[in-house]
């Protein structure tokens, strides 16, 4: 586990769970009898994106991370569905296999949309939702300046991956960890494009605030104010969801969980303290 200076390492377990349509890599940290907190990464990322944040959460939570199908150490089949409802169904199946009956679900970027899809399918399982830099609708997306990676050039070079990932960070002097770049390169071109297509289709059908209003779940939205992928001003659109709490983090970009884990953890822990369900 990659840790920030001065943060103690926590006891963790990692395993591969074989589901009906593919193997899913799962990490668990913290006390198993503490309230469950499921973390879902964004597209072209993995469980590694949470490495710096997890030690700040394990004092009070059973933290569960998964690599969505097509990402990280999970399987990358070419003949399986990568639509968000499919990914959400797998996340629910993982929690079932782990014996988790209730969880606060946190998603970064498109992982937030996957968290919403899970809550739509399993409202009994998801007690509350926290979204980190998840754009509320497609109109909030900022088109990238760099050209897309050509399938003929896959796997991409280090420089191509750095250009691809650069808009995910805004803090001055921040260096993108090599392990995160390697996760992009480990994907297949099919799993990358199929994942992106699945996200676009899900958000094209309905805006996320509309979906969340119907769900009626407690909602926290954390947004780095200098996001270069989604207009941070669009975070205000989540205020249409009754009771939604919106927190802007100045000086941070699309990935505050990596750029400044303590500032990201503070509102998240305050929220989960109220809405987490303790294990009997």
């Amino acid at each position: 586990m990659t840790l920030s200076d001065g943060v103690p390492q926590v006891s963790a377990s990692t395993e591969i769970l074989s589901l009906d349509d593919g193997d899913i890599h799962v990490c668990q940290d913290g006390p198993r009898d503490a309230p469950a907190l499921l973390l879902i990464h964004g597209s072209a990322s993995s469980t590694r994106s949470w490495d710096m944040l997890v030690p700040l959460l394990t004092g009070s939570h059973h933290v569960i991370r998964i690599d969505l199908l097509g990402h990280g150490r999970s399987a990358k089949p070419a003949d399986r569905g990568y639509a968000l409802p499919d990914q959400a169904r797998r996340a629910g199946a993982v929690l079932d296999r782990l014996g988790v009956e209730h969880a606060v679900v946190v998603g970064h970027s498109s992982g937030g949309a996957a968290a919403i899809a899970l809550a739509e399918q399993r409202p009994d399982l998801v007690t509350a939702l926290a979204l980190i830099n998840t754009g509320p609708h497609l109109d909030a997306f900022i088109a990238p300046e760099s050209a897309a990676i050509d399938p003929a050039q896959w796997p991409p070079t280090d420089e191509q991956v750095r250009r691809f990932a650069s808009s995910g960070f805004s803090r001055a002097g921040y260096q993108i960890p090599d392990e995160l770049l390697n996760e992009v390169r480990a994907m297949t071109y099919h799993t990358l494009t199929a994942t992106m297509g699945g996200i676009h289709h899900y958000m094209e059908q309905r805006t996320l605030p509309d979906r969340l209003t119907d769900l009626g779940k407690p909602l926290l939205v954390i947004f780095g104010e200098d996001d270069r992928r989604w207009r941070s001003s669009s975070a205000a659109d989540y205020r249409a969801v009754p009771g939604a709490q919106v927190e802007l983090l100045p000086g941070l970009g699309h990935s505050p969980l990596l750029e400044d884990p303590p500032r990201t953890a503070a509102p998240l822990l305050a929220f989960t303290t109220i809405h987490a369900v303790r294990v009997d």
Side-chain angles (χ1 to χ4, degrees), residues 84-121:
L84 274 182
D86 292 330
Q87 298 284 35
R89 174 179 49 77
R90 297 177 188 116
V94 166
L95 293 183
D96 290 342
R97 292 278 289 274
L98 297 179
V100 173
E101 297 180 352
H102 305 286
V104 174
V105 183
V106 185
H108 173 230
S109 190
S110 61
I116 294 169
L118 175 58
E120 289 175 326
Q121 295 175 4

PDB file of all heavy atoms in Angstrom, residues 84-121:
ATOM      1  N   LEU A  84     -22.776   0.438 -16.903  1.00  0.00           N
ATOM      2  CA  LEU A  84     -22.748   0.732 -15.464  1.00  0.00           C
ATOM      3  C   LEU A  84     -23.674  -0.180 -14.651  1.00  0.00           C
ATOM      4  O   LEU A  84     -23.288  -0.617 -13.559  1.00  0.00           O
ATOM      5  CB  LEU A  84     -23.073   2.203 -15.221  1.00  0.00           C
ATOM      6  CG  LEU A  84     -21.883   3.160 -15.301  1.00  0.00           C
ATOM      7  CD1 LEU A  84     -22.328   4.583 -14.994  1.00  0.00           C
ATOM      8  CD2 LEU A  84     -20.782   2.755 -14.334  1.00  0.00           C
ATOM      9  N   PRO A  85     -24.876  -0.490 -15.114  1.00  0.00           N
ATOM     10  CA  PRO A  85     -25.693  -1.425 -14.326  1.00  0.00           C
ATOM     11  C   PRO A  85     -25.025  -2.789 -14.149  1.00  0.00           C
ATOM     12  O   PRO A  85     -25.174  -3.422 -13.096  1.00  0.00           O
ATOM     13  CB  PRO A  85     -26.984  -1.532 -15.144  1.00  0.00           C
ATOM     14  CG  PRO A  85     -27.074  -0.213 -15.860  1.00  0.00           C
ATOM     15  CD  PRO A  85     -25.655   0.108 -16.221  1.00  0.00           C
ATOM     16  N   ASP A  86     -24.280  -3.245 -15.160  1.00  0.00           N
ATOM     17  CA  ASP A  86     -23.541  -4.510 -15.028  1.00  0.00           C
ATOM     18  C   ASP A  86     -22.461  -4.389 -13.964  1.00  0.00           C
ATOM     19  O   ASP A  86     -22.272  -5.288 -13.133  1.00  0.00           O
ATOM     20  CB  ASP A  86     -22.908  -4.905 -16.365  1.00  0.00           C
ATOM     21  CG  ASP A  86     -23.936  -5.285 -17.412  1.00  0.00           C
ATOM     22  OD1 ASP A  86     -25.004  -5.786 -17.041  1.00  0.00           O
ATOM     23  OD2 ASP A  86     -23.668  -5.055 -18.618  1.00  0.00           O
ATOM     24  N   GLN A  87     -21.716  -3.283 -13.992  1.00  0.00           N
ATOM     25  CA  GLN A  87     -20.654  -3.092 -13.002  1.00  0.00           C
ATOM     26  C   GLN A  87     -21.246  -2.971 -11.600  1.00  0.00           C
ATOM     27  O   GLN A  87     -20.690  -3.496 -10.624  1.00  0.00           O
ATOM     28  CB  GLN A  87     -19.839  -1.839 -13.345  1.00  0.00           C
ATOM     29  CG  GLN A  87     -19.112  -1.883 -14.686  1.00  0.00           C
ATOM     30  CD  GLN A  87     -17.868  -2.766 -14.647  1.00  0.00           C
ATOM     31  OE1 GLN A  87     -17.827  -3.790 -13.963  1.00  0.00           O
ATOM     32  NE2 GLN A  87     -16.851  -2.369 -15.410  1.00  0.00           N
ATOM     33  N   ALA A  88     -22.383  -2.289 -11.497  1.00  0.00           N
ATOM     34  CA  ALA A  88     -23.037  -2.137 -10.197  1.00  0.00           C
ATOM     35  C   ALA A  88     -23.508  -3.486  -9.654  1.00  0.00           C
ATOM     36  O   ALA A  88     -23.373  -3.772  -8.456  1.00  0.00           O
ATOM     37  CB  ALA A  88     -24.210  -1.171 -10.321  1.00  0.00           C
ATOM     38  N   ARG A  89     -24.054  -4.302 -10.534  1.00  0.00           N
ATOM     39  CA  ARG A  89     -24.524  -5.630 -10.112  1.00  0.00           C
ATOM     40  C   ARG A  89     -23.369  -6.445  -9.537  1.00  0.00           C
ATOM     41  O   ARG A  89     -23.522  -7.134  -8.515  1.00  0.00           O
ATOM     42  CB  ARG A  89     -25.157  -6.352 -11.301  1.00  0.00           C
ATOM     43  CG  ARG A  89     -25.560  -7.793 -11.013  1.00  0.00           C
ATOM     44  CD  ARG A  89     -26.209  -8.430 -12.229  1.00  0.00           C
ATOM     45  NE  ARG A  89     -25.432  -8.237 -13.445  1.00  0.00           N
ATOM     46  CZ  ARG A  89     -24.324  -8.910 -13.766  1.00  0.00           C
ATOM     47  NH1 ARG A  89     -23.850  -9.842 -12.918  1.00  0.00           N
ATOM     48  NH2 ARG A  89     -23.700  -8.695 -14.904  1.00  0.00           N
ATOM     49  N   ARG A  90     -22.192  -6.343 -10.172  1.00  0.00           N
ATOM     50  CA  ARG A  90     -21.025  -7.075  -9.666  1.00  0.00           C
ATOM     51  C   ARG A  90     -20.596  -6.544  -8.305  1.00  0.00           C
ATOM     52  O   ARG A  90     -20.207  -7.320  -7.420  1.00  0.00           O
ATOM     53  CB  ARG A  90     -19.877  -6.969 -10.674  1.00  0.00           C
ATOM     54  CG  ARG A  90     -20.185  -7.613 -12.013  1.00  0.00           C
ATOM     55  CD  ARG A  90     -19.069  -7.438 -13.021  1.00  0.00           C
ATOM     56  NE  ARG A  90     -19.498  -7.911 -14.329  1.00  0.00           N
ATOM     57  CZ  ARG A  90     -19.630  -7.134 -15.407  1.00  0.00           C
ATOM     58  NH1 ARG A  90     -19.342  -5.850 -15.342  1.00  0.00           N
ATOM     59  NH2 ARG A  90     -20.043  -7.653 -16.546  1.00  0.00           N
ATOM     60  N   ALA A  91     -20.649  -5.235  -8.129  1.00  0.00           N
ATOM     61  CA  ALA A  91     -20.285  -4.661  -6.833  1.00  0.00           C
ATOM     62  C   ALA A  91     -21.224  -5.169  -5.740  1.00  0.00           C
ATOM     63  O   ALA A  91     -20.785  -5.516  -4.634  1.00  0.00           O
ATOM     64  CB  ALA A  91     -20.330  -3.137  -6.906  1.00  0.00           C
ATOM     65  N   GLY A  92     -22.512  -5.239  -6.049  1.00  0.00           N
ATOM     66  CA  GLY A  92     -23.462  -5.778  -5.085  1.00  0.00           C
ATOM     67  C   GLY A  92     -23.191  -7.235  -4.769  1.00  0.00           C
ATOM     68  O   GLY A  92     -23.304  -7.675  -3.619  1.00  0.00           O
ATOM     69  N   ALA A  93     -22.831  -8.006  -5.799  1.00  0.00           N
ATOM     70  CA  ALA A  93     -22.526  -9.428  -5.593  1.00  0.00           C
ATOM     71  C   ALA A  93     -21.313  -9.602  -4.696  1.00  0.00           C
ATOM     72  O   ALA A  93     -21.262 -10.526  -3.874  1.00  0.00           O
ATOM     73  CB  ALA A  93     -22.294 -10.107  -6.945  1.00  0.00           C
ATOM     74  N   VAL A  94     -20.319  -8.715  -4.840  1.00  0.00           N
ATOM     75  CA  VAL A  94     -19.135  -8.776  -3.975  1.00  0.00           C
ATOM     76  C   VAL A  94     -19.534  -8.548  -2.521  1.00  0.00           C
ATOM     77  O   VAL A  94     -19.113  -9.290  -1.615  1.00  0.00           O
ATOM     78  CB  VAL A  94     -18.081  -7.739  -4.417  1.00  0.00           C
ATOM     79  CG1 VAL A  94     -17.013  -7.558  -3.350  1.00  0.00           C
ATOM     80  CG2 VAL A  94     -17.434  -8.158  -5.722  1.00  0.00           C
ATOM     81  N   LEU A  95     -20.352  -7.526  -2.256  1.00  0.00           N
ATOM     82  CA  LEU A  95     -20.779  -7.268  -0.883  1.00  0.00           C
ATOM     83  C   LEU A  95     -21.574  -8.445  -0.329  1.00  0.00           C
ATOM     84  O   LEU A  95     -21.435  -8.804   0.849  1.00  0.00           O
ATOM     85  CB  LEU A  95     -21.599  -5.981  -0.816  1.00  0.00           C
ATOM     86  CG  LEU A  95     -20.839  -4.685  -1.122  1.00  0.00           C
ATOM     87  CD1 LEU A  95     -21.759  -3.478  -0.941  1.00  0.00           C
ATOM     88  CD2 LEU A  95     -19.598  -4.539  -0.259  1.00  0.00           C
ATOM     89  N   ASP A  96     -22.388  -9.063  -1.159  1.00  0.00           N
ATOM     90  CA  ASP A  96     -23.134 -10.248  -0.720  1.00  0.00           C
ATOM     91  C   ASP A  96     -22.178 -11.371  -0.318  1.00  0.00           C
ATOM     92  O   ASP A  96     -22.363 -12.017   0.722  1.00  0.00           O
ATOM     93  CB  ASP A  96     -24.061 -10.734  -1.834  1.00  0.00           C
ATOM     94  CG  ASP A  96     -25.229  -9.796  -2.093  1.00  0.00           C
ATOM     95  OD1 ASP A  96     -25.526  -8.954  -1.225  1.00  0.00           O
ATOM     96  OD2 ASP A  96     -25.825  -9.899  -3.190  1.00  0.00           O
ATOM     97  N   ARG A  97     -21.158 -11.585  -1.132  1.00  0.00           N
ATOM     98  CA  ARG A  97     -20.191 -12.648  -0.843  1.00  0.00           C
ATOM     99  C   ARG A  97     -19.419 -12.366   0.439  1.00  0.00           C
ATOM    100  O   ARG A  97     -19.025 -13.300   1.158  1.00  0.00           O
ATOM    101  CB  ARG A  97     -19.230 -12.793  -2.020  1.00  0.00           C
ATOM    102  CG  ARG A  97     -19.859 -13.328  -3.287  1.00  0.00           C
ATOM    103  CD  ARG A  97     -19.975 -14.844  -3.262  1.00  0.00           C
ATOM    104  NE  ARG A  97     -18.683 -15.473  -3.388  1.00  0.00           N
ATOM    105  CZ  ARG A  97     -18.086 -15.739  -4.563  1.00  0.00           C
ATOM    106  NH1 ARG A  97     -18.718 -15.431  -5.708  1.00  0.00           N
ATOM    107  NH2 ARG A  97     -16.919 -16.315  -4.611  1.00  0.00           N
ATOM    108  N   LEU A  98     -19.226 -11.091   0.740  1.00  0.00           N
ATOM    109  CA  LEU A  98     -18.500 -10.715   1.961  1.00  0.00           C
ATOM    110  C   LEU A  98     -19.411 -10.665   3.182  1.00  0.00           C
ATOM    111  O   LEU A  98     -18.943 -10.415   4.298  1.00  0.00           O
ATOM    112  CB  LEU A  98     -17.829  -9.349   1.771  1.00  0.00           C
ATOM    113  CG  LEU A  98     -16.764  -9.254   0.680  1.00  0.00           C
ATOM    114  CD1 LEU A  98     -16.219  -7.835   0.602  1.00  0.00           C
ATOM    115  CD2 LEU A  98     -15.635 -10.250   0.914  1.00  0.00           C
ATOM    116  N   GLY A  99     -20.699 -10.875   2.990  1.00  0.00           N
ATOM    117  CA  GLY A  99     -21.633 -10.851   4.104  1.00  0.00           C
ATOM    118  C   GLY A  99     -22.008  -9.464   4.580  1.00  0.00           C
ATOM    119  O   GLY A  99     -22.490  -9.293   5.704  1.00  0.00           O
ATOM    120  N   VAL A 100     -21.816  -8.467   3.706  1.00  0.00           N
ATOM    121  CA  VAL A 100     -22.141  -7.083   4.061  1.00  0.00           C
ATOM    122  C   VAL A 100     -23.595  -6.803   3.706  1.00  0.00           C
ATOM    123  O   VAL A 100     -24.005  -6.971   2.556  1.00  0.00           O
ATOM    124  CB  VAL A 100     -21.205  -6.099   3.319  1.00  0.00           C
ATOM    125  CG1 VAL A 100     -21.642  -4.657   3.554  1.00  0.00           C
ATOM    126  CG2 VAL A 100     -19.757  -6.302   3.764  1.00  0.00           C
ATOM    127  N   GLU A 101     -24.368  -6.368   4.684  1.00  0.00           N
ATOM    128  CA  GLU A 101     -25.790  -6.121   4.468  1.00  0.00           C
ATOM    129  C   GLU A 101     -26.104  -4.654   4.241  1.00  0.00           C
ATOM    130  O   GLU A 101     -27.128  -4.322   3.635  1.00  0.00           O
ATOM    131  CB  GLU A 101     -26.590  -6.642   5.665  1.00  0.00           C
ATOM    132  CG  GLU A 101     -26.475  -8.155   5.848  1.00  0.00           C
ATOM    133  CD  GLU A 101     -27.285  -8.645   7.032  1.00  0.00           C
ATOM    134  OE1 GLU A 101     -27.812  -7.810   7.790  1.00  0.00           O
ATOM    135  OE2 GLU A 101     -27.401  -9.875   7.201  1.00  0.00           O
ATOM    136  N   HIS A 102     -25.260  -3.745   4.741  1.00  0.00           N
ATOM    137  CA  HIS A 102     -25.468  -2.309   4.583  1.00  0.00           C
ATOM    138  C   HIS A 102     -24.114  -1.640   4.399  1.00  0.00           C
ATOM    139  O   HIS A 102     -23.148  -2.007   5.074  1.00  0.00           O
ATOM    140  CB  HIS A 102     -26.174  -1.706   5.801  1.00  0.00           C
ATOM    141  CG  HIS A 102     -27.467  -2.361   6.144  1.00  0.00           C
ATOM    142  ND1 HIS A 102     -28.620  -2.165   5.399  1.00  0.00           N
ATOM    143  CD2 HIS A 102     -27.801  -3.219   7.138  1.00  0.00           C
ATOM    144  CE1 HIS A 102     -29.603  -2.860   5.925  1.00  0.00           C
ATOM    145  NE2 HIS A 102     -29.129  -3.516   6.984  1.00  0.00           N
ATOM    146  N   ALA A 103     -24.052  -0.640   3.506  1.00  0.00           N
ATOM    147  CA  ALA A 103     -22.793   0.061   3.276  1.00  0.00           C
ATOM    148  C   ALA A 103     -23.055   1.487   2.809  1.00  0.00           C
ATOM    149  O   ALA A 103     -24.019   1.737   2.065  1.00  0.00           O
ATOM    150  CB  ALA A 103     -21.947  -0.674   2.234  1.00  0.00           C
ATOM    151  N   VAL A 104     -22.212   2.391   3.262  1.00  0.00           N
ATOM    152  CA  VAL A 104     -22.123   3.698   2.622  1.00  0.00           C
ATOM    153  C   VAL A 104     -21.216   3.502   1.406  1.00  0.00           C
ATOM    154  O   VAL A 104     -20.158   2.876   1.509  1.00  0.00           O
ATOM    155  CB  VAL A 104     -21.526   4.754   3.571  1.00  0.00           C
ATOM    156  CG1 VAL A 104     -21.299   6.072   2.841  1.00  0.00           C
ATOM    157  CG2 VAL A 104     -22.432   4.969   4.770  1.00  0.00           C
ATOM    158  N   VAL A 105     -21.632   4.010   0.256  1.00  0.00           N
ATOM    159  CA  VAL A 105     -20.881   3.784  -0.978  1.00  0.00           C
ATOM    160  C   VAL A 105     -20.308   5.116  -1.462  1.00  0.00           C
ATOM    161  O   VAL A 105     -21.037   6.106  -1.599  1.00  0.00           O
ATOM    162  CB  VAL A 105     -21.757   3.143  -2.067  1.00  0.00           C
ATOM    163  CG1 VAL A 105     -20.919   2.856  -3.315  1.00  0.00           C
ATOM    164  CG2 VAL A 105     -22.382   1.849  -1.540  1.00  0.00           C
ATOM    165  N   VAL A 106     -19.002   5.099  -1.726  1.00  0.00           N
ATOM    166  CA  VAL A 106     -18.280   6.289  -2.163  1.00  0.00           C
ATOM    167  C   VAL A 106     -17.734   6.019  -3.554  1.00  0.00           C
ATOM    168  O   VAL A 106     -17.112   4.977  -3.795  1.00  0.00           O
ATOM    169  CB  VAL A 106     -17.108   6.609  -1.205  1.00  0.00           C
ATOM    170  CG1 VAL A 106     -16.429   7.915  -1.604  1.00  0.00           C
ATOM    171  CG2 VAL A 106     -17.578   6.653   0.234  1.00  0.00           C
ATOM    172  N   GLY A 107     -17.953   6.944  -4.479  1.00  0.00           N
ATOM    173  CA  GLY A 107     -17.436   6.777  -5.832  1.00  0.00           C
ATOM    174  C   GLY A 107     -16.659   7.997  -6.274  1.00  0.00           C
ATOM    175  O   GLY A 107     -17.060   9.134  -5.995  1.00  0.00           O
ATOM    176  N   HIS A 108     -15.535   7.765  -6.938  1.00  0.00           N
ATOM    177  CA  HIS A 108     -14.756   8.851  -7.518  1.00  0.00           C
ATOM    178  C   HIS A 108     -15.022   8.931  -9.013  1.00  0.00           C
ATOM    179  O   HIS A 108     -14.986   7.917  -9.712  1.00  0.00           O
ATOM    180  CB  HIS A 108     -13.256   8.631  -7.278  1.00  0.00           C
ATOM    181  CG  HIS A 108     -12.396   9.621  -7.989  1.00  0.00           C
ATOM    182  ND1 HIS A 108     -11.324   9.254  -8.778  1.00  0.00           N
ATOM    183  CD2 HIS A 108     -12.448  10.981  -8.055  1.00  0.00           C
ATOM    184  CE1 HIS A 108     -10.763  10.342  -9.280  1.00  0.00           C
ATOM    185  NE2 HIS A 108     -11.427  11.392  -8.854  1.00  0.00           N
ATOM    186  N   SER A 109     -15.306  10.120  -9.506  1.00  0.00           N
ATOM    187  CA  SER A 109     -15.543  10.357 -10.929  1.00  0.00           C
ATOM    188  C   SER A 109     -16.662   9.431 -11.416  1.00  0.00           C
ATOM    189  O   SER A 109     -17.730   9.390 -10.827  1.00  0.00           O
ATOM    190  CB  SER A 109     -14.235  10.175 -11.710  1.00  0.00           C
ATOM    191  OG  SER A 109     -14.369  10.615 -13.034  1.00  0.00           O
ATOM    192  N   SER A 110     -16.410   8.646 -12.459  1.00  0.00           N
ATOM    193  CA  SER A 110     -17.465   7.758 -12.955  1.00  0.00           C
ATOM    194  C   SER A 110     -17.829   6.674 -11.952  1.00  0.00           C
ATOM    195  O   SER A 110     -18.905   6.077 -12.040  1.00  0.00           O
ATOM    196  CB  SER A 110     -17.041   7.122 -14.278  1.00  0.00           C
ATOM    197  OG  SER A 110     -15.870   6.338 -14.098  1.00  0.00           O
ATOM    198  N   GLY A 111     -16.949   6.439 -10.968  1.00  0.00           N
ATOM    199  CA  GLY A 111     -17.293   5.505  -9.901  1.00  0.00           C
ATOM    200  C   GLY A 111     -18.480   5.991  -9.100  1.00  0.00           C
ATOM    201  O   GLY A 111     -19.207   5.191  -8.500  1.00  0.00           O
ATOM    202  N   GLY A 112     -18.702   7.311  -9.087  1.00  0.00           N
ATOM    203  CA  GLY A 112     -19.885   7.847  -8.432  1.00  0.00           C
ATOM    204  C   GLY A 112     -21.159   7.434  -9.146  1.00  0.00           C
ATOM    205  O   GLY A 112     -22.182   7.137  -8.515  1.00  0.00           O
ATOM    206  N   ALA A 113     -21.106   7.420 -10.483  1.00  0.00           N
ATOM    207  CA  ALA A 113     -22.266   6.962 -11.253  1.00  0.00           C
ATOM    208  C   ALA A 113     -22.517   5.478 -11.012  1.00  0.00           C
ATOM    209  O   ALA A 113     -23.675   5.040 -10.914  1.00  0.00           O
ATOM    210  CB  ALA A 113     -22.050   7.241 -12.737  1.00  0.00           C
ATOM    211  N   ALA A 114     -21.439   4.698 -10.887  1.00  0.00           N
ATOM    212  CA  ALA A 114     -21.595   3.270 -10.574  1.00  0.00           C
ATOM    213  C   ALA A 114     -22.223   3.096  -9.194  1.00  0.00           C
ATOM    214  O   ALA A 114     -23.045   2.198  -8.982  1.00  0.00           O
ATOM    215  CB  ALA A 114     -20.244   2.573 -10.640  1.00  0.00           C
ATOM    216  N   ALA A 115     -21.853   3.961  -8.247  1.00  0.00           N
ATOM    217  CA  ALA A 115     -22.434   3.903  -6.908  1.00  0.00           C
ATOM    218  C   ALA A 115     -23.934   4.181  -6.962  1.00  0.00           C
ATOM    219  O   ALA A 115     -24.725   3.527  -6.266  1.00  0.00           O
ATOM    220  CB  ALA A 115     -21.736   4.909  -5.999  1.00  0.00           C
ATOM    221  N   ILE A 116     -24.327   5.147  -7.779  1.00  0.00           N
ATOM    222  CA  ILE A 116     -25.748   5.460  -7.930  1.00  0.00           C
ATOM    223  C   ILE A 116     -26.489   4.272  -8.555  1.00  0.00           C
ATOM    224  O   ILE A 116     -27.587   3.901  -8.121  1.00  0.00           O
ATOM    225  CB  ILE A 116     -25.934   6.729  -8.778  1.00  0.00           C
ATOM    226  CG1 ILE A 116     -25.364   7.943  -8.041  1.00  0.00           C
ATOM    227  CG2 ILE A 116     -27.407   6.962  -9.119  1.00  0.00           C
ATOM    228  CD1 ILE A 116     -25.266   9.198  -8.894  1.00  0.00           C
ATOM    229  N   ALA A 117     -25.886   3.665  -9.574  1.00  0.00           N
ATOM    230  CA  ALA A 117     -26.510   2.501 -10.215  1.00  0.00           C
ATOM    231  C   ALA A 117     -26.689   1.363  -9.212  1.00  0.00           C
ATOM    232  O   ALA A 117     -27.708   0.658  -9.235  1.00  0.00           O
ATOM    233  CB  ALA A 117     -25.668   2.042 -11.404  1.00  0.00           C
ATOM    234  N   LEU A 118     -25.719   1.194  -8.314  1.00  0.00           N
ATOM    235  CA  LEU A 118     -25.842   0.162  -7.283  1.00  0.00           C
ATOM    236  C   LEU A 118     -27.004   0.486  -6.345  1.00  0.00           C
ATOM    237  O   LEU A 118     -27.787  -0.394  -5.981  1.00  0.00           O
ATOM    238  CB  LEU A 118     -24.534   0.053  -6.496  1.00  0.00           C
ATOM    239  CG  LEU A 118     -24.546  -0.901  -5.289  1.00  0.00           C
ATOM    240  CD1 LEU A 118     -24.913  -2.314  -5.710  1.00  0.00           C
ATOM    241  CD2 LEU A 118     -23.179  -0.881  -4.600  1.00  0.00           C
ATOM    242  N   ALA A 119     -27.121   1.757  -5.951  1.00  0.00           N
ATOM    243  CA  ALA A 119     -28.218   2.151  -5.065  1.00  0.00           C
ATOM    244  C   ALA A 119     -29.577   1.969  -5.737  1.00  0.00           C
ATOM    245  O   ALA A 119     -30.569   1.637  -5.078  1.00  0.00           O
ATOM    246  CB  ALA A 119     -28.034   3.596  -4.626  1.00  0.00           C
ATOM    247  N   GLU A 120     -29.629   2.183  -7.054  1.00  0.00           N
ATOM    248  CA  GLU A 120     -30.881   1.962  -7.777  1.00  0.00           C
ATOM    249  C   GLU A 120     -31.271   0.485  -7.758  1.00  0.00           C
ATOM    250  O   GLU A 120     -32.455   0.144  -7.610  1.00  0.00           O
ATOM    251  CB  GLU A 120     -30.738   2.445  -9.223  1.00  0.00           C
ATOM    252  CG  GLU A 120     -30.681   3.958  -9.361  1.00  0.00           C
ATOM    253  CD  GLU A 120     -30.413   4.406 -10.782  1.00  0.00           C
ATOM    254  OE1 GLU A 120     -29.677   3.714 -11.529  1.00  0.00           O
ATOM    255  OE2 GLU A 120     -30.940   5.468 -11.166  1.00  0.00           O
ATOM    256  N   GLN A 121     -30.280  -0.388  -7.901  1.00  0.00           N
ATOM    257  CA  GLN A 121     -30.552  -1.820  -7.915  1.00  0.00           C
ATOM    258  C   GLN A 121     -30.792  -2.391  -6.527  1.00  0.00           C
ATOM    259  O   GLN A 121     -31.627  -3.285  -6.345  1.00  0.00           O
ATOM    260  CB  GLN A 121     -29.361  -2.565  -8.549  1.00  0.00           C
ATOM    261  CG  GLN A 121     -29.128  -2.265 -10.002  1.00  0.00           C
ATOM    262  CD  GLN A 121     -27.870  -2.952 -10.524  1.00  0.00           C
ATOM    263  OE1 GLN A 121     -27.220  -3.718  -9.814  1.00  0.00           O
ATOM    264  NE2 GLN A 121     -27.509  -2.665 -11.767  1.00  0.00           N
TER     265      GLN A 121
END
